[in-house]
Amino acid sequence: MKYRIIQHGQDGNLCFIPGGKEVANPSELLLNGRLKTLLERVAPIFDWVILDSPPLLPAGTMQACWPTMLMV
């Protein structure tokens, strides 16, 4: 895999990107376009892409950003 930020779990079937530094405005990270670019790049590689984060925006806003997102 050509992405250096992607880490591999012990069994090799789980890959993850560890969290970075804490930022003052987390919603900015979602709305600046870089997350969308990352998801577009990794989507063809993986069957599932799971984002684990605390709720940052109302559900309707998130659905508008990524209409194919399944929110749990």
Side-chain angles (χ1 to χ4, degrees), residues 16-50:
F16 63 94
I17 298 173
K21 297 178 182 176
E22 188 174 334
V23 295
N25 187 1
S27 61
E28 171 92 14
L29 296 174
L30 295 175
L31 300 175
N32 70 9
R34 293 177 68 194
L35 179 61
K36 182 179 180 195
T37 300
L38 173 66
L39 294 175
E40 289 171 349
R41 289 183 180 175
V42 300
I45 299 169
F46 298 103
D47 295 328
W48 288 88
V49 176
I50 299 170

Side-chain angles (χ1 to χ4, degrees), residues 3-29:
Y3 300 104
R4 290 184 290 162
I5 62 170
I6 297 175
Q7 305 292 311
H8 300 276
Q10 292 179 356
D11 66 359
N13 291 327
L14 175 67
C15 300
F16 63 94
I17 298 173
K21 297 178 182 176
E22 188 174 334
V23 295
N25 187 1
S27 61
E28 171 92 14
L29 296 174

